[in-house]
Amino acid sequence: MIRIPFHRPSITDEDIAAVVACLESGWLTTGPRAAAFEEAFASAVGVEHAVSVSSGTAAMQLALMAAGIGPGDEVITTPYTFVATLEAIEDCGARPVFVDVDPHTALITPEAVERAVGSSTRAILPVHVAGHPCDLEGFEALALARGLAIVDDAAHALGARAATAAIGALGTATCFSFYASKNLTTGEGGMVTCRDRGLAEAIRLRRLHGLSRDSWSRDGGERSWAYDVVARGIKANLPDMAAALGLSQLERFDGMQARRHAIAERYQAAFAECELLERPPAVEPGTHAWHLYMARLHLDRLGCSRDEVLTELDRRGIQCSVHFRPLHHLSSVRARHGVSPGDFPVADALWQRVVSLPIYPALSDDEVERVIETVLAVVRERAR
Ligand SMILES: *Cc1c(COP(=O)(O)O)cnc(C)c1O
């Protein structure tokens, strides 16, 4: 039996040639390829500025720092995310405030966030879970009324669109991840996009120790050794080797997204009639990035748990995953923030029933059909 992995990267000969060309060029760290990647990325998203960084986590930490968020400030976010979202808030010295998600979308809503805004609230950090766009226009209205920043976690959302613009072109700053399994990868990497030049410059400065000039802009110039440190920064620049891969992937990104959309459509159609599964919510065509396809089990109609379904799928060669074990279920987060399971009932109930199915451009039509047949067989065999 040939196993279908949860993820398989799409790496073409062009991707490999682009990285090799970088290695041969003699310039490996942040330089001309990172600059070209930033320019192409900003133009693909339709936003003024893009600053490349070493990870999605660093993107969020830098965006919050540059927006002036620090000790004593509160940032409202979701417990239904990966721990990186929380770490970025903690690493800039701020305190996270969690609000529960909407049961339909698994996203936090402007209404729920508004109820949690207090005198120390300085920012909102929504997460576009699975690539389903949050209501950013709603968050913008709230942010404007209450003087808050919006830093959105778009680790899943390259290619997604809110009502009026692409994710990445709204809010204060948007943070993308290029981790190996994300819709576009550089192995490890990330990007912050924003509309404000001053904010982009503040992020650019802080991604490399707060140095007044990076080594590429110092290279070969007069007094090339001279620099000052003009802000408190971190070490989070994106090397050109990684940027070369990102630039190459970006060139065929529309095609990769078209494949994700086709797979999602096939899954949506195949599971439409199955009363044992709930499909992820439909959105306007072309607005979902389909990073994940999160099916939800109707556990009340099944004589087993989600974990048993996962184990059986795995036994039959289909590797699935779970997004996410909520933050308030994680031991260290519980200890750090005094939260515990049960605190956010919608997230508590949702994560018990979600199964993320394989969805990526390298998945063949035959594999998609095998996933569908196997999922339907496994749940039907367990129907009450
Ligand atoms: C992947 C991911 C991140 C972190 O991105 P890195 O590039 O690995 O730092 C943040 N948030 C979410 C929701 C993610 O899935």
Side-chain angles (χ1 to χ4, degrees):
M1 175 181 62
I2 300 166
R3 289 180 56 76
I4 299 179
F6 179 64
H7 180 71
R8 202 191 288 138
S10 299
I11 299 294
T12 61
D13 291 346
E14 288 75 22
D15 290 345
I16 293 166
V19 176
V20 170
C22 175
L23 290 169
E24 288 171 347
S25 76
W27 193 273
L28 306 185
T29 186
T30 310
R33 286 173 171 82
F37 182 35
E38 290 174 352
E39 197 176 315
F41 194 90
S43 131
V45 167
V47 63
E48 284 82 350
H49 306 284
V51 183
S52 60
V53 292
S54 58
S55 71
T57 312
M60 290 188 279
Q61 185 188 350
L62 285 163
L64 290 168
M65 274 171 84
I69 312 299
D73 296 335
E74 287 180 357
V75 177
I76 299 178
T77 192
T78 171
Y80 206 79
T81 184
F82 183 56
V83 70
T85 317
L86 170 65
E87 285 173 330
I89 297 170
E90 294 176 318
D91 287 345
C92 73
R95 199 177 82 81
V97 172
F98 299 112
V99 301
D100 208 350
V101 294
D102 176 87
H104 186 59
T105 60
L107 309 174
I108 54 172
T109 63
E111 298 70 39
V113 168
E114 184 163 23
R115 289 192 291 274
V117 173
S119 57
S120 301
T121 307
R122 294 285 309 283
I124 310 168
L125 206 172
V127 182
H128 310 287
V129 177
H132 186 138
C134 290
D135 177 8
L136 274 188
E137 288 81 3
F139 283 120
E140 282 192 330
L142 173 62
L144 193 65
R146 307 298 291 262
L148 309 173
I150 303 170
V151 173
D152 49 324
D153 179 342
H156 299 180
L158 182 57
R161 285 188 68 80
T164 58
I167 295 300
L170 294 161
T172 308
T174 301
C175 303
F176 295 94
S177 165
F178 307 136
Y179 177 71
S181 63
K182 301 289 158 72
N183 290 24
L184 181 150
T185 186
T186 61
E188 298 281 358
M191 191 78 81
V192 187
T193 58
C194 63
R195 292 173 285 184
D196 185 82
R197 171 180 298 278
L199 185 66
E201 276 165 13
I203 294 165
R204 202 175 288 284
L205 194 66
R206 283 165 179 77
R207 77 173 169 188
L208 191 67
H209 309 300
L211 293 184
S212 55
R213 289 202 290 168
D214 66 17
S215 54
W216 174 247
S217 56
R218 289 205 308 276
D219 187 50
E222 232 176 276
R223 283 166 54 85
S224 64
W225 46 267
Y227 63 82
D228 187 17
V229 172
V230 297
R232 171 71 169 87
I234 61 173
K235 167 68 179 180
N237 54 308
L238 184 74
D240 262 22
M241 282 189 297
L245 179 55
L247 200 49
S248 179
Q249 294 235 323
L250 192 59
E251 273 170 28
R252 60 194 164 79
F253 185 68
D254 290 348
M256 291 202 287
Q257 282 302 101
R259 180 68 192 146
R260 283 182 185 272
H261 282 261
I263 296 168
E265 265 170 44
R266 180 68 194 111
Y267 282 159
Q268 292 291 62
F271 300 134
E273 305 300 320
C274 181
E275 65 297 341
L276 303 170
L277 286 177
E278 186 189 332
R279 298 172 298 166
V283 296
E284 288 288 306
T287 62
H288 201 302
W290 290 116
H291 172 60
L292 300 174
Y293 186 91
M294 287 164 58
R296 299 140 187 221
L297 303 173
H298 280 298
L299 292 176
D300 51 334
R301 299 174 202 166
L302 293 171
C304 73
S305 69
R306 183 269 321 277
D307 291 355
E308 281 176 67
V309 171
L310 272 183
T311 305
E312 187 55 24
L313 287 170
D314 196 71
R315 210 183 59 78
R316 298 188 195 187
I318 313 290
Q319 189 191 16
C320 295
S321 189
V322 175
H323 298 86
F324 294 95
R325 184 171 183 197
L327 298 183
H328 60 294
H329 289 237
L330 305 173
S331 58
S332 165
V333 175
R334 292 172 61 174
R336 296 203 302 264
H337 297 290
V339 287
S340 39
D343 287 356
F344 305 100
V346 179
D348 291 326
L350 197 56
W351 97 278
Q352 294 291 355
R353 52 194 290 254
V354 286
V355 176
S356 297
L357 305 185
I359 181 168
Y360 43 89
L363 197 66
S364 72
D365 285 344
D366 285 351
E367 289 174 319
V368 170
E369 295 310 314
R370 226 183 96 203
V371 172
I372 292 167
E373 280 163 28
T374 314
V375 167
L376 288 176
V378 167
V379 295
R380 281 178 185 148
E381 286 162 21
R382 282 158 185 76
R384 274 191 210 279

